[in-house]
Amino acid sequence: MAEIPSTARVVIIGGGAVGVSSLYHLAKAGWTDCVLLEKNELTAGSTWHAAGNVPTFSTSWSIMNMQRYSTELYSRLGAEVDYPMNYHVTGSVRLAHSKERMQEFQRAKGMGLYQGMNLEVLGVDEIKGKYPFIETHDLAGALYDPADGDIDPAQLTQALAKGAREMGAKILRFTPATGVSRENGEWIVHTEKGDIRCEYVVNAAGYYAQKVGEWFKPYGGRTVPMMVMSHQYVLTEQVSEIEAWSKEVGHKLPLLRDVDVSYYLRQEKGGFNIGPYEPNCKAHWVNPSDPMPDDFSFQLYPDDLDRIAEIVADAMERVPIVGSAGISRIINGPIPYAPDGNPLIGPMPGVPNAFEACVFTFGIAQGGGGGKVLAEWITEGCTEWDMWSCDPRRYTDYTDRDYCIEKGKEVYGNEYAMHVPWHRWPAAPDRRKSSVHDKIRELGGQMGAYNGWERANWFAKPGDDTSEEATHTWGRSGPWEQRIKEECEAVRDSVGVLNLPGFSRFWIQGEGADEWLRGFCTGALPKVGRMNLIYVSDKRGRILTELSCIRLAENSFVLITAATAQWHDGELIRNSVPEGVTVRETTAERETLIIAGPKSRELLAPITDADLSMGWLTHQHATVAGKKAFLIRVSFAGELGWEVHAENADMPAIYDAVRAGGAKPFGMWALNSLRLEKGYRAWKGDLSTDYSLLEGGLERFVKFDKPQDFTGKAALLAEKQRGVKKSFITLIVDAKDCDAPYMSTIWHDGKVVGETTSGAWGYRVNASIALGMVRADLAVPGTELEVEIYGERCRAVVQPDQPLWDPENARIRA
C-alpha cells in the first residue's frame, strides 16, 4: 500500500479523467509535489461508463479551445508516456435539418479555422461521400470535423496517470478523503489513512463534487451548483456489412450526430453505439426517496429504454443498417450537470487556495483542456484563454437546489440545441426580481436573467409574437426589432427609462482606502464628488475588470460593476484590501434606473431637489419623488442622462414618477445597441483576459507615471515599448439579415486577421456595428476588411477612434 505523505503542495480529490489530467498538467508545469486521492480505483465514477467521444465542436470560443487542446493532447499522449491507447480519429458528420442549423455550422467553421482546425460545411449531396449508409432526403446539409473521434476513457486516464507518476506526482487509490480543515493558512485534507497538509486543494470529485463542496462551507464556501442526470446509450450487436466495410476501407465510420433530433451514432467495433439526449429526461439523487449512495463506484442505474425508444427508432431510420442488429447492452449511468452545462474550473468562490475542476458533463472531451486550465489557475494565477464560461464564480447565491435541477434537465434535453441570441431558456425564471418587476411585466417587458436578476430585454406591444418559437433565428428581424428601434429613438429624441436591478456594488472606506485603490487599479482616481472608470489588470497586463469608481470622500468610495461580475469582482476587491479598510456590499439592497435622453433634465426637474446643472461624471445625494436617492450624471446610452440609485423599497415610487413624466421604458437590447454606437465596452465580451489594456484601446486608463506598482505594470510597460500585436477597432459592417456575433472571424486579403467581440444594429446611426480586435497594422480608419457572419463575408470599414454617435460627447455633456 502506498504510504500517505504528510505534506503536499496540492491535493486533488477525485480520480476520474479530469482529476488525473489536472495532476498530469500540474506535474508538467513543474509542480510535482502533488497528490491525488481516489476512494476506489481510478475512473470509478462517470469516467468508467463514459462513451468516450472527443468532439471539438462548440460555438463557445473558450470551450472550443479546451476541446481542441484535448484532441491535440490525446493524439500524442500514448507515445509521450509509452502507454497503449485506443484513440480513433474518425472524423464526424453533424447533420442539419434547417437553414438556421447550417448558419450555426458556418459560425463554428469560422471559429475553428481561426483555431487552426479544418471544419467543412457539406451540401446534402456530399454527405454520403463521408457516410455511405445514411438517408439524406430531409436534410439541409452537414458539418464535417476531421479531428473528431473517440477514445477509451480508462486508457486515457491511465495514460495521464502514468505520465503524472513518472514526473513525480503521487496517486493514492482506495484512499477516500473524509473532510478538510484549515490551520495557519494551510489546508489539512483528512483521510482514513492519515492527514495531508497542503497549500492548495482541488475538488475534482465529479458527481460527488457537491458533497465534497460542503466541507468548505465553514471556510467561506457555498453549495456547488449542480445536479446529476441519468444518461443512457445503447450498444447494438455486430453488423456484418459494417465489419466488411471497415475492413475494406481500413477505418471506422465517422461519428454521426443528428443534432436536431438529439443523438449521436458511433461505430463500436462492428456494431453501433446510439447515445440519445431525450427531452423526457430523468434526474437522479434529487429527493429523499432516491438518496445519493456513499459509494456508486463502477455501478449503473437500471435500464429505461422506453424513455429513449423514439430517438433510437429515428437513428435506425436515418441509418437503416442499424435496425438490422439487435440491442446487446444498455449503459445507464450518472453524469453531473451545472445549470448551463459547462464545467466548473477555477477558484472556489469565497474559499482561499481552493479550486474546482468538476461537474464535467463531457469530461473525456474536455478533460485534457480542463486539466490544462486548472493547472494554469493554480500555478500562474491566470489562464491562457479567458475561461469565464467555466469559472465557478459565474454563479452566485441564486442557484438553489430546484434551480439546478430544472436547468440541468433543460440543458440535457436540449443538449444539441442552438443558442440563438434572442432566445431565453424558460426553465427556473424569477430567481431575483426587482421591486418594480410586476410593473415591468405589465408594460410588456420580455425578460432576461442577468446573474439571476430579471431585467427587460425589450418591451412588447399587444399583438406582438412573444412565443419561444419566434426567437429561433440568428437574424435581426423579429417582433423585437421594431420595438428596439422605437426604444432607441425615444432615448435619442425624448427620454427613456431602464430598470436595472443587480448592479454589483461595493462600498470601500477606511484610512488608506485611496492609497490601496491607486495600487489596485491601473489609472487615476476621481476627485471627491466625481466618478470615473477604473480598470484592473492581471500580471500580464490583461483586462480583469472595469469598475465605476465613485468618490464620496477622501477615503470613501463606491465601486459599481456588472451584475455578472458580483463574485468575481467582490473576491478581487476583498482579497486585496489592507487591514483597516472595510468592504460593504450593497448589491441586493439597492436598485438603479437609467434615465436617458435630451428631455431627461426636463423630466427630473419637477420631481427632484437635485442640482441638475452639475456636470458630467458628478454625483449627489438628493430626493426623487420624495424618496432618498443617489444621482450619478453618467449615461451608458450616450445621451444626457442620470443613473438614479435608491433603496429597493423606495424605487416603485420613483419609477412611477419617472413614467408619469413621460419616460418610455426601454430594455437591455436597446441599451446594447446604444452603447455600441458609443464604442462602450461590455465585460467578458470586449473586456476579457484574452486582451491587454493596450490592445483594448484603454491606454488613457493606464497611469504609467504613478509611483504605485499596480499589477501588470511591468508587462504593460514592456508591451508599450515593443508595440501591440492587436488593436481594438469599431467597424461599420455591410451586414445583411444578421449582425456579427461574438468571435466572428475578420478577414483581410484572404487571411484571418482578427475577431469581433460584439455586434448589433445601431438605430441612431442606421448601420450594423461590430467592435473587435485586429492585427495592429490594420487598425487604421478607412481600412476595408471582411467580417464573416454565419459563413458570409461582409465588407466592413474601420472607423475613426471615437464614438460613431455624437463623437464630441456634446449630447452627454449638455
Side-chain angles (χ1 to χ4, degrees):
M1 185 183 80
E3 197 177 312
I4 289 236
S6 59
T7 64
R9 201 165 184 188
V10 183
V11 171
I12 297 170
I13 299 168
V18 174
V20 179
S21 175
S22 299
L23 185 73
Y24 170 86
H25 283 91
L26 282 165
K28 280 284 257 191
W31 286 41
T32 53
D33 181 19
C34 298
V35 174
L36 182 144
L37 302 175
E38 166 53 45
K39 68 179 169 191
N40 198 285
E41 270 287 4
L42 296 182
T43 77
S46 292
T47 300
W48 87 271
H49 63 77
N53 298 330
V54 189
T56 62
F57 177 89
S58 180
T59 50
S60 159
W61 183 253
S62 47
I63 297 284
M64 182 181 266
N65 260 318
M66 193 162 65
Q67 294 180 172
R68 171 188 53 78
Y69 173 85
S70 291
T71 64
E72 292 166 357
L73 171 67
Y74 301 168
S75 64
R76 65 175 188 267
L77 183 64
E80 186 180 296
V81 303
D82 190 25
Y83 193 89
M85 280 174 58
N86 287 317
Y87 180 30
H88 307 111
V89 182
T90 59
S92 71
V93 176
R94 196 173 282 256
L95 304 177
H97 290 248
S98 67
K99 178 193 82 168
E100 287 76 21
R101 184 66 79 174
M102 289 296 280
Q103 287 176 291
E104 180 195 49
F105 290 172
Q106 290 284 6
R107 172 157 161 64
K109 177 188 172 185
M111 288 169 58
L113 182 74
Y114 200 176
Q115 292 193 16
M117 299 186 296
N118 296 311
L119 306 179
E120 290 176 53
V121 173
L122 306 178
V124 177
D125 56 351
E126 297 174 288
I127 297 172
K128 281 203 171 189
K130 301 289 186 190
Y131 203 102
F133 302 98
I134 192 170
E135 293 293 320
T136 62
H137 58 278
D138 56 346
L139 299 175
L143 181 75
Y144 178 67
D145 178 0
D148 208 328
D150 62 88
I151 197 165
D152 182 308
Q155 288 179 332
L156 167 64
T157 307
Q158 296 297 349
L160 289 164
K162 183 171 189 270
R165 287 189 186 105
E166 285 173 352
M167 288 183 275
K170 289 189 175 66
I171 294 174
L172 302 175
R173 297 169 303 134
F174 303 102
T175 310
T178 56
V180 298
S181 54
R182 194 151 171 79
E183 193 179 275
N184 300 325
E186 292 180 316
W187 288 106
I188 302 164
V189 180
H190 306 292
T191 80
E192 291 163 359
K193 301 175 183 177
D195 292 346
I196 307 175
R197 187 177 284 267
C198 60
E199 256 184 278
Y200 301 94
V201 65
V202 179
N203 180 355
Y207 51 74
Y208 280 100
Q210 196 172 78
K211 280 196 167 185
V212 170
E214 295 300 299
W215 301 342
F216 294 89
K217 278 191 170 173
Y219 311 103
R222 87 303 182 211
T223 299
V224 175
M226 64 170 289
M227 52 83 74
V228 178
M229 290 300 300
S230 144
H231 176 60
Q232 299 181 90
Y233 60 89
V234 175
L235 300 175
T236 75
E237 292 167 344
Q238 303 300 292
V239 179
S240 56
E241 286 140 291
I242 291 296
E243 290 183 282
W245 181 87
S246 287
K247 199 171 180 182
E248 185 186 330
V249 299
H251 59 78
K252 288 177 25 171
L253 280 164
L255 199 151
L256 188 72
R257 288 185 184 83
D258 194 327
V259 288
D260 292 313
V261 178
S262 196
Y263 65 86
Y264 64 81
L265 178 68
R266 187 179 95 199
Q267 183 180 340
E268 193 75 35
K269 296 179 179 165
F272 287 96
N273 172 342
I274 310 167
Y277 289 92
E278 69 281 7
N280 59 327
C281 50
K282 184 173 183 182
H284 263 289
W285 305 333
V286 293
N287 55 53
S289 65
D290 178 29
M292 177 181 268
D294 288 336
D295 190 355
F296 200 67
S297 300
F298 298 114
Q299 294 182 60
L300 294 170
Y301 302 131
D303 302 348
D304 190 2
L305 188 55
D306 288 351
R307 215 170 68 221
I308 60 173
E310 203 174 305
I311 297 180
V312 171
D314 191 283
M316 291 175 174
E317 286 175 24
R318 179 65 57 202
V319 183
I321 203 169
V322 177
S324 67
I327 291 171
S328 69
R329 195 175 177 205
I330 299 171
I331 309 289
N332 185 9
I335 299 186
Y337 268 76
D340 61 1
N342 288 353
L344 304 175
I345 320 172
M348 186 183 293
V351 185
N353 287 3
F355 289 82
E356 291 175 339
C358 53
V359 200
F360 278 74
T361 297
F362 299 102
I364 306 305
Q366 297 170 356
K372 171 190 188 294
V373 169
L374 188 277
E376 288 168 350
W377 265 124
I378 293 177
T379 63
E380 300 288 336
C382 51
T383 55
E384 178 185 353
W385 319 300
D386 188 289
M387 290 302 300
W388 181 244
S389 64
C390 300
D391 194 309
R393 296 167 295 184
R394 71 189 186 271
Y395 291 115
T396 60
D397 55 7
Y398 63 94
T399 56
D400 59 22
R401 173 185 169 279
D402 290 347
Y403 179 89
C404 291
I405 294 167
E406 287 175 48
K407 293 307 272 188
K409 289 176 72 173
E410 181 179 63
V411 172
Y412 180 95
N414 296 279
E415 191 62 70
Y416 293 129
M418 293 179 284
H419 290 265
V420 289
W422 313 107
H423 179 239
R424 178 187 178 156
W425 292 99
D430 297 344
R431 275 337 194 237
R432 289 169 156 174
K433 298 194 286 190
S434 79
S435 62
V436 295
H437 177 80
D438 292 342
K439 295 176 192 281
I440 301 285
R441 295 286 290 142
E442 282 167 25
L443 290 164
Q446 303 302 303
M447 312 305 282
Y450 297 80
N451 191 25
W453 292 98
E454 295 286 319
R455 295 176 179 174
N457 282 328
W458 65 288
F459 285 85
K461 289 186 175 173
D464 286 347
D465 184 356
T466 57
S467 68
E468 207 180 332
E469 292 71 33
T471 68
H472 291 168
T473 175
W474 303 103
R476 188 184 314 113
S477 68
W480 52 82
E481 185 183 19
Q482 181 61 24
R483 303 295 166 245
I484 296 170
K485 181 176 187 284
E486 290 163 1
E487 292 168 24
C488 290
E489 287 169 348
V491 172
R492 179 193 69 192
D493 300 334
S494 180
V495 59
V497 60
L498 171 59
N499 171 240
L500 271 180
F503 261 147
S504 304
R505 291 181 179 79
F506 305 93
W507 184 15
I508 318 290
Q509 54 181 343
E511 195 62 42
D514 60 341
E515 188 56 29
W516 164 72
L517 253 180
R518 285 190 194 96
F520 177 68
C521 73
T522 61
L525 302 184
K527 294 175 179 163
V528 175
R530 306 275 302 174
M531 70 153 292
N532 63 11
L533 286 177
I534 60 172
Y535 291 85
V536 182
S537 79
D538 67 15
K539 66 182 184 181
R540 302 166 297 180
R542 297 193 189 179
I543 305 163
L544 266 184
T545 197
E546 171 195 80
L547 307 118
S548 294
C549 179
I550 295 141
R551 193 167 195 169
L552 304 172
E554 205 60 38
N555 276 300
S556 179
F557 301 85
V558 174
L559 302 180
I560 299 180
T561 183
T564 46
Q566 183 185 359
W567 279 10
H568 178 280
D569 287 3
E571 203 160 276
L572 197 60
I573 292 163
R574 292 185 190 95
N575 287 351
S576 58
V577 290
E579 250 183 80
V581 174
T582 61
V583 181
R584 183 179 164 223
E585 185 176 343
T586 59
T587 299
E589 297 166 24
R590 301 175 75 80
E591 290 175 21
T592 305
L593 296 184
I594 290 182
I595 298 169
K599 295 184 180 173
S600 51
R601 184 180 278 122
E602 205 177 298
L603 179 147
L604 281 166
I607 60 171
T608 183
D609 57 4
D611 178 358
L612 299 177
S613 68
M614 285 174 63
W616 191 35
L617 304 181
T618 61
H619 50 82
Q620 59 187 304
H621 287 94
T623 62
V624 179
K627 304 292 184 182
K628 284 183 181 176
F630 184 66
L631 274 68
I632 309 175
R633 176 82 191 276
V634 69
S635 174
F636 201 52
E639 300 287 349
L640 172 67
W642 283 263
E643 286 180 6
V644 177
H645 300 253
E647 298 285 338
N648 297 347
D650 292 334
M651 193 52 88
I654 296 172
Y655 188 73
D656 285 348
V658 170
R659 284 276 300 121
K664 179 181 176 68
F666 68 102
M668 296 298 290
W669 291 346
L671 184 65
N672 186 52
S673 169
L674 295 163
R675 68 98 187 167
L676 281 166
E677 292 174 310
K678 296 296 292 181
Y680 296 157
R681 280 73 152 171
W683 191 64
K684 288 304 176 193
D686 316 299
L687 303 169
S688 81
T689 57
D690 283 332
Y691 310 114
S692 76
L693 270 88
L694 302 188
E695 289 174 330
L698 300 170
E699 188 172 343
R700 68 188 183 281
F701 297 100
V702 181
K703 200 168 164 52
F704 286 114
D705 59 355
K706 66 178 179 180
Q708 291 81 11
D709 191 23
F710 59 84
T711 304
K713 187 174 186 178
L716 287 165
L717 274 167
E719 186 181 26
K720 186 172 168 62
Q721 285 170 347
R722 69 175 179 265
V724 295
K725 291 178 181 172
K726 281 184 169 181
S727 285
F728 180 86
I729 53 163
T730 300
L731 294 166
I732 294 284
V733 187
D734 292 348
K736 295 183 181 168
D737 300 332
C738 306
D739 300 304
Y742 174 65
M743 284 293 164
S744 296
T745 313
I746 301 176
W747 294 79
H748 179 70
D749 280 350
K751 290 181 182 165
V752 177
V753 294
E755 68 275 1
T756 63
T757 52
S758 55
W761 190 266
Y763 291 93
R764 290 177 298 194
V765 300
N766 199 33
S768 184
I769 304 165
L771 306 183
M773 290 283 181
V774 293
R775 212 174 65 204
D777 61 303
L778 297 171
V780 178
T783 303
E784 289 200 15
L785 304 168
E786 290 176 303
V787 174
E788 185 176 324
I789 302 177
Y790 304 112
E792 196 165 348
R793 292 194 205 172
C794 304
R795 177 179 171 270
V797 179
V798 178
Q799 301 300 300
D801 186 16
Q802 61 187 31
L804 295 171
W805 176 252
D806 184 28
E808 305 302 321
N809 288 328
R811 296 170 72 92
I812 290 178
R813 299 172 188 270

